[in-house]
Amino acid sequence: MTRTEPLFSHVLALTDGVGIFEHARLRLPRVEHGYCVDDVARALVAVCRDEPSAADRSQGRVLEPAVMAGLADVYLDFLESAQAPDGAVVNRRDAHGTPHGPATVEDCWGRAVWAFGTAAARSRDLTRADRAAAAFRRSAVRRSPWPRSMAFAGLGAAEMMRVDPGDEVARALLHDAAAAVGPFRGDREWPWPEQRLTYANAVLADVVLAAGDTLNDSELVDDGLEMLDWLLTLQHPGEHLSPTPAAGWATGEERPGFDQQPIEASTLADACARAFELTGDARWSAAVDLCAAWFFGRNDAGTSLYDVGSGGCCDGLERHGRNENQGAESTLALVTTLQHSARLAAVRS
């Protein structure tokens, strides 16, 4: 692995005055495909977690605090305008910035709630934090029938409770998010709460851990750690990470599977970083490094997904190489994974 610090240069290149473009052809944003809340929410989480790193400055790609603040404001504006009066969210905007499609409580809602909670808890700008908190409350009263949507929203509720443990709206949402995941089953062959691994799998364990920690429920913490232990063991069969492929995976199917998506490594890094914070167990810190190393070639294809020229991340790992396009989801997955890796490296030093 050649980098330990996140680099925001490609995030900046994909962003204009409206939001972050969803897709790219190689390094260039595909403007014609427009924007989506899912990626803008990911971007707001990332910029609220971080400031420009020394590595960025040493390579002449400095993003001054004012630039990072400007990105945060663009992303928050986008997400606020995506909210319907009842708290549901319209996911997409076209190339002209015009919203289209229904307002829903699908993943876009959950990710928006996560981003609002993160911005409210971590923004240094008090006006932005207040706006994000108000937006959080507008959407946090809703519920989704989809466990992952609830899990994303629950992570936002956990962020809100960092700054206000008495926030009853956040508490209720976090409780319901953990319940939506369902119990960790004691089946030795398949203990996961779903019949099949699909996408962003580790977010289910992450929100259970967050709920257990924030709501002072040790049984939930234990459940979350068991879930994460099983998932990590399954996806670490040898010396490197082998994530669940885009088509999902269940017992009896071929491994390794392709194409592998950066979001799997990043959600696993999120959950393992939280597990380390809760337990201090070095295994979880090492697992974050394992996730980071996956981006740099310690993977089933022996191929780096990181583009040193752009600071971006390729969109998927194939059996014999990589998808060369560098869209927002993949690049933000790299950034957020490296945020955890760099922070834990500093703790260890």
Side-chain angles (χ1 to χ4, degrees), residues 99-122:
H100 62 93
T104 75
V105 288
E106 296 177 357
D107 281 3
C108 59
W109 164 81
R111 290 189 186 278
V113 174
W114 183 9
F116 290 140
T118 302
R122 299 179 186 251

PDB file of all heavy atoms in Angstrom, residues 99-122:
ATOM      1  N   PRO A  99     -34.616  18.353 -10.366  1.00  0.00           N
ATOM      2  CA  PRO A  99     -34.982  17.074  -9.729  1.00  0.00           C
ATOM      3  C   PRO A  99     -35.972  16.294 -10.588  1.00  0.00           C
ATOM      4  O   PRO A  99     -36.825  16.878 -11.275  1.00  0.00           O
ATOM      5  CB  PRO A  99     -35.626  17.503  -8.408  1.00  0.00           C
ATOM      6  CG  PRO A  99     -35.168  18.911  -8.188  1.00  0.00           C
ATOM      7  CD  PRO A  99     -35.010  19.497  -9.549  1.00  0.00           C
ATOM      8  N   HIS A 100     -35.866  14.980 -10.543  1.00  0.00           N
ATOM      9  CA  HIS A 100     -36.859  14.153 -11.226  1.00  0.00           C
ATOM     10  C   HIS A 100     -37.007  12.826 -10.497  1.00  0.00           C
ATOM     11  O   HIS A 100     -36.081  12.334  -9.863  1.00  0.00           O
ATOM     12  CB  HIS A 100     -36.486  13.931 -12.695  1.00  0.00           C
ATOM     13  CG  HIS A 100     -35.194  13.198 -12.909  1.00  0.00           C
ATOM     14  ND1 HIS A 100     -35.122  11.836 -13.069  1.00  0.00           N
ATOM     15  CD2 HIS A 100     -33.918  13.652 -12.995  1.00  0.00           C
ATOM     16  CE1 HIS A 100     -33.850  11.482 -13.254  1.00  0.00           C
ATOM     17  NE2 HIS A 100     -33.112  12.555 -13.208  1.00  0.00           N
ATOM     18  N   GLY A 101     -38.219  12.280 -10.565  1.00  0.00           N
ATOM     19  CA  GLY A 101     -38.516  11.039  -9.867  1.00  0.00           C
ATOM     20  C   GLY A 101     -39.285  11.300  -8.589  1.00  0.00           C
ATOM     21  O   GLY A 101     -39.418  12.436  -8.124  1.00  0.00           O
ATOM     22  N   PRO A 102     -39.796  10.229  -7.982  1.00  0.00           N
ATOM     23  CA  PRO A 102     -40.614  10.370  -6.770  1.00  0.00           C
ATOM     24  C   PRO A 102     -39.766  10.595  -5.531  1.00  0.00           C
ATOM     25  O   PRO A 102     -38.585  10.259  -5.484  1.00  0.00           O
ATOM     26  CB  PRO A 102     -41.326   9.017  -6.690  1.00  0.00           C
ATOM     27  CG  PRO A 102     -40.340   8.058  -7.310  1.00  0.00           C
ATOM     28  CD  PRO A 102     -39.673   8.831  -8.425  1.00  0.00           C
ATOM     29  N   ALA A 103     -40.387  11.134  -4.515  1.00  0.00           N
ATOM     30  CA  ALA A 103     -39.763  11.206  -3.187  1.00  0.00           C
ATOM     31  C   ALA A 103     -39.998   9.871  -2.494  1.00  0.00           C
ATOM     32  O   ALA A 103     -41.121   9.359  -2.471  1.00  0.00           O
ATOM     33  CB  ALA A 103     -40.367  12.345  -2.378  1.00  0.00           C
ATOM     34  N   THR A 104     -38.927   9.285  -1.946  1.00  0.00           N
ATOM     35  CA  THR A 104     -39.017   7.951  -1.359  1.00  0.00           C
ATOM     36  C   THR A 104     -38.307   7.905  -0.009  1.00  0.00           C
ATOM     37  O   THR A 104     -37.652   8.863   0.406  1.00  0.00           O
ATOM     38  CB  THR A 104     -38.364   6.898  -2.272  1.00  0.00           C
ATOM     39  OG1 THR A 104     -36.936   7.007  -2.197  1.00  0.00           O
ATOM     40  CG2 THR A 104     -38.818   7.056  -3.718  1.00  0.00           C
ATOM     41  N   VAL A 105     -38.435   6.757   0.650  1.00  0.00           N
ATOM     42  CA  VAL A 105     -37.654   6.468   1.855  1.00  0.00           C
ATOM     43  C   VAL A 105     -36.748   5.265   1.581  1.00  0.00           C
ATOM     44  O   VAL A 105     -36.533   4.412   2.432  1.00  0.00           O
ATOM     45  CB  VAL A 105     -38.556   6.225   3.087  1.00  0.00           C
ATOM     46  CG1 VAL A 105     -39.174   7.518   3.546  1.00  0.00           C
ATOM     47  CG2 VAL A 105     -39.617   5.157   2.796  1.00  0.00           C
ATOM     48  N   GLU A 106     -36.202   5.227   0.376  1.00  0.00           N
ATOM     49  CA  GLU A 106     -35.247   4.187   0.008  1.00  0.00           C
ATOM     50  C   GLU A 106     -33.844   4.596   0.468  1.00  0.00           C
ATOM     51  O   GLU A 106     -33.696   5.458   1.337  1.00  0.00           O
ATOM     52  CB  GLU A 106     -35.328   3.950  -1.502  1.00  0.00           C
ATOM     53  CG  GLU A 106     -36.684   3.418  -1.935  1.00  0.00           C
ATOM     54  CD  GLU A 106     -36.836   3.246  -3.427  1.00  0.00           C
ATOM     55  OE1 GLU A 106     -35.883   3.603  -4.181  1.00  0.00           O
ATOM     56  OE2 GLU A 106     -37.891   2.772  -3.871  1.00  0.00           O
ATOM     57  N   ASP A 107     -32.816   4.005  -0.107  1.00  0.00           N
ATOM     58  CA  ASP A 107     -31.454   4.280   0.355  1.00  0.00           C
ATOM     59  C   ASP A 107     -31.100   5.756   0.309  1.00  0.00           C
ATOM     60  O   ASP A 107     -30.344   6.246   1.159  1.00  0.00           O
ATOM     61  CB  ASP A 107     -30.446   3.499  -0.498  1.00  0.00           C
ATOM     62  CG  ASP A 107     -30.344   2.038  -0.092  1.00  0.00           C
ATOM     63  OD1 ASP A 107     -31.091   1.601   0.809  1.00  0.00           O
ATOM     64  OD2 ASP A 107     -29.517   1.320  -0.684  1.00  0.00           O
ATOM     65  N   CYS A 108     -31.617   6.475  -0.688  1.00  0.00           N
ATOM     66  CA  CYS A 108     -31.295   7.895  -0.778  1.00  0.00           C
ATOM     67  C   CYS A 108     -31.761   8.641   0.475  1.00  0.00           C
ATOM     68  O   CYS A 108     -31.058   9.531   0.975  1.00  0.00           O
ATOM     69  CB  CYS A 108     -31.893   8.510  -2.040  1.00  0.00           C
ATOM     70  SG  CYS A 108     -33.691   8.373  -2.170  1.00  0.00           S
ATOM     71  N   TRP A 109     -32.923   8.261   0.989  1.00  0.00           N
ATOM     72  CA  TRP A 109     -33.396   8.860   2.245  1.00  0.00           C
ATOM     73  C   TRP A 109     -32.452   8.517   3.384  1.00  0.00           C
ATOM     74  O   TRP A 109     -32.027   9.387   4.157  1.00  0.00           O
ATOM     75  CB  TRP A 109     -34.811   8.358   2.554  1.00  0.00           C
ATOM     76  CG  TRP A 109     -35.248   8.597   3.959  1.00  0.00           C
ATOM     77  CD1 TRP A 109     -35.734   9.756   4.493  1.00  0.00           C
ATOM     78  CD2 TRP A 109     -35.206   7.655   5.045  1.00  0.00           C
ATOM     79  NE1 TRP A 109     -36.004   9.594   5.838  1.00  0.00           N
ATOM     80  CE2 TRP A 109     -35.689   8.316   6.197  1.00  0.00           C
ATOM     81  CE3 TRP A 109     -34.804   6.321   5.140  1.00  0.00           C
ATOM     82  CZ2 TRP A 109     -35.774   7.672   7.429  1.00  0.00           C
ATOM     83  CZ3 TRP A 109     -34.896   5.681   6.364  1.00  0.00           C
ATOM     84  CH2 TRP A 109     -35.377   6.354   7.499  1.00  0.00           C
ATOM     85  N   GLY A 110     -32.104   7.237   3.507  1.00  0.00           N
ATOM     86  CA  GLY A 110     -31.233   6.826   4.592  1.00  0.00           C
ATOM     87  C   GLY A 110     -29.876   7.495   4.538  1.00  0.00           C
ATOM     88  O   GLY A 110     -29.342   7.951   5.561  1.00  0.00           O
ATOM     89  N   ARG A 111     -29.305   7.593   3.354  1.00  0.00           N
ATOM     90  CA  ARG A 111     -27.995   8.236   3.218  1.00  0.00           C
ATOM     91  C   ARG A 111     -28.083   9.733   3.504  1.00  0.00           C
ATOM     92  O   ARG A 111     -27.160  10.325   4.074  1.00  0.00           O
ATOM     93  CB  ARG A 111     -27.428   7.979   1.827  1.00  0.00           C
ATOM     94  CG  ARG A 111     -27.018   6.536   1.593  1.00  0.00           C
ATOM     95  CD  ARG A 111     -26.263   6.400   0.283  1.00  0.00           C
ATOM     96  NE  ARG A 111     -25.979   5.024  -0.041  1.00  0.00           N
ATOM     97  CZ  ARG A 111     -24.964   4.319   0.445  1.00  0.00           C
ATOM     98  NH1 ARG A 111     -24.140   4.881   1.316  1.00  0.00           N
ATOM     99  NH2 ARG A 111     -24.773   3.063   0.076  1.00  0.00           N
ATOM    100  N   ALA A 112     -29.180  10.364   3.079  1.00  0.00           N
ATOM    101  CA  ALA A 112     -29.349  11.785   3.374  1.00  0.00           C
ATOM    102  C   ALA A 112     -29.426  12.011   4.886  1.00  0.00           C
ATOM    103  O   ALA A 112     -28.800  12.936   5.426  1.00  0.00           O
ATOM    104  CB  ALA A 112     -30.599  12.325   2.687  1.00  0.00           C
ATOM    105  N   VAL A 113     -30.168  11.158   5.592  1.00  0.00           N
ATOM    106  CA  VAL A 113     -30.263  11.287   7.045  1.00  0.00           C
ATOM    107  C   VAL A 113     -28.898  11.087   7.688  1.00  0.00           C
ATOM    108  O   VAL A 113     -28.521  11.798   8.637  1.00  0.00           O
ATOM    109  CB  VAL A 113     -31.302  10.287   7.598  1.00  0.00           C
ATOM    110  CG1 VAL A 113     -31.315  10.306   9.119  1.00  0.00           C
ATOM    111  CG2 VAL A 113     -32.697  10.614   7.067  1.00  0.00           C
ATOM    112  N   TRP A 114     -28.135  10.123   7.197  1.00  0.00           N
ATOM    113  CA  TRP A 114     -26.768   9.905   7.688  1.00  0.00           C
ATOM    114  C   TRP A 114     -25.929  11.170   7.496  1.00  0.00           C
ATOM    115  O   TRP A 114     -25.230  11.623   8.404  1.00  0.00           O
ATOM    116  CB  TRP A 114     -26.152   8.726   6.946  1.00  0.00           C
ATOM    117  CG  TRP A 114     -24.773   8.322   7.386  1.00  0.00           C
ATOM    118  CD1 TRP A 114     -24.074   8.768   8.479  1.00  0.00           C
ATOM    119  CD2 TRP A 114     -23.930   7.361   6.746  1.00  0.00           C
ATOM    120  NE1 TRP A 114     -22.846   8.144   8.544  1.00  0.00           N
ATOM    121  CE2 TRP A 114     -22.728   7.275   7.503  1.00  0.00           C
ATOM    122  CE3 TRP A 114     -24.073   6.564   5.614  1.00  0.00           C
ATOM    123  CZ2 TRP A 114     -21.681   6.425   7.140  1.00  0.00           C
ATOM    124  CZ3 TRP A 114     -23.032   5.713   5.262  1.00  0.00           C
ATOM    125  CH2 TRP A 114     -21.846   5.649   6.032  1.00  0.00           C
ATOM    126  N   ALA A 115     -26.023  11.745   6.298  1.00  0.00           N
ATOM    127  CA  ALA A 115     -25.227  12.942   6.006  1.00  0.00           C
ATOM    128  C   ALA A 115     -25.669  14.128   6.852  1.00  0.00           C
ATOM    129  O   ALA A 115     -24.830  14.891   7.357  1.00  0.00           O
ATOM    130  CB  ALA A 115     -25.332  13.281   4.527  1.00  0.00           C
ATOM    131  N   PHE A 116     -26.974  14.302   7.024  1.00  0.00           N
ATOM    132  CA  PHE A 116     -27.448  15.404   7.864  1.00  0.00           C
ATOM    133  C   PHE A 116     -26.937  15.250   9.299  1.00  0.00           C
ATOM    134  O   PHE A 116     -26.482  16.217   9.924  1.00  0.00           O
ATOM    135  CB  PHE A 116     -28.976  15.450   7.871  1.00  0.00           C
ATOM    136  CG  PHE A 116     -29.606  15.880   6.576  1.00  0.00           C
ATOM    137  CD1 PHE A 116     -30.766  15.251   6.110  1.00  0.00           C
ATOM    138  CD2 PHE A 116     -29.061  16.904   5.825  1.00  0.00           C
ATOM    139  CE1 PHE A 116     -31.371  15.650   4.930  1.00  0.00           C
ATOM    140  CE2 PHE A 116     -29.651  17.306   4.628  1.00  0.00           C
ATOM    141  CZ  PHE A 116     -30.801  16.674   4.179  1.00  0.00           C
ATOM    142  N   GLY A 117     -27.032  14.040   9.831  1.00  0.00           N
ATOM    143  CA  GLY A 117     -26.561  13.820  11.186  1.00  0.00           C
ATOM    144  C   GLY A 117     -25.070  14.065  11.326  1.00  0.00           C
ATOM    145  O   GLY A 117     -24.609  14.657  12.318  1.00  0.00           O
ATOM    146  N   THR A 118     -24.303  13.633  10.320  1.00  0.00           N
ATOM    147  CA  THR A 118     -22.853  13.823  10.359  1.00  0.00           C
ATOM    148  C   THR A 118     -22.500  15.305  10.280  1.00  0.00           C
ATOM    149  O   THR A 118     -21.637  15.793  11.018  1.00  0.00           O
ATOM    150  CB  THR A 118     -22.185  13.057   9.205  1.00  0.00           C
ATOM    151  OG1 THR A 118     -22.522  11.666   9.312  1.00  0.00           O
ATOM    152  CG2 THR A 118     -20.675  13.217   9.244  1.00  0.00           C
ATOM    153  N   ALA A 119     -23.162  16.028   9.384  1.00  0.00           N
ATOM    154  CA  ALA A 119     -22.887  17.455   9.248  1.00  0.00           C
ATOM    155  C   ALA A 119     -23.289  18.215  10.503  1.00  0.00           C
ATOM    156  O   ALA A 119     -22.600  19.149  10.935  1.00  0.00           O
ATOM    157  CB  ALA A 119     -23.615  18.015   8.029  1.00  0.00           C
ATOM    158  N   ALA A 120     -24.402  17.817  11.123  1.00  0.00           N
ATOM    159  CA  ALA A 120     -24.833  18.476  12.353  1.00  0.00           C
ATOM    160  C   ALA A 120     -23.833  18.246  13.483  1.00  0.00           C
ATOM    161  O   ALA A 120     -23.563  19.149  14.284  1.00  0.00           O
ATOM    162  CB  ALA A 120     -26.212  17.971  12.759  1.00  0.00           C
ATOM    163  N   ALA A 121     -23.271  17.048  13.539  1.00  0.00           N
ATOM    164  CA  ALA A 121     -22.374  16.698  14.639  1.00  0.00           C
ATOM    165  C   ALA A 121     -20.949  17.184  14.433  1.00  0.00           C
ATOM    166  O   ALA A 121     -20.256  17.491  15.406  1.00  0.00           O
ATOM    167  CB  ALA A 121     -22.374  15.183  14.829  1.00  0.00           C
ATOM    168  N   ARG A 122     -20.494  17.283  13.182  1.00  0.00           N
ATOM    169  CA  ARG A 122     -19.068  17.482  12.934  1.00  0.00           C
ATOM    170  C   ARG A 122     -18.713  18.809  12.262  1.00  0.00           C
ATOM    171  O   ARG A 122     -17.532  19.141  12.174  1.00  0.00           O
ATOM    172  CB  ARG A 122     -18.531  16.326  12.084  1.00  0.00           C
ATOM    173  CG  ARG A 122     -18.671  14.970  12.765  1.00  0.00           C
ATOM    174  CD  ARG A 122     -18.149  13.860  11.872  1.00  0.00           C
ATOM    175  NE  ARG A 122     -18.396  12.552  12.431  1.00  0.00           N
ATOM    176  CZ  ARG A 122     -17.453  11.745  12.935  1.00  0.00           C
ATOM    177  NH1 ARG A 122     -16.198  12.140  12.931  1.00  0.00           N
ATOM    178  NH2 ARG A 122     -17.761  10.555  13.421  1.00  0.00           N
TER     179      ARG A 122
END
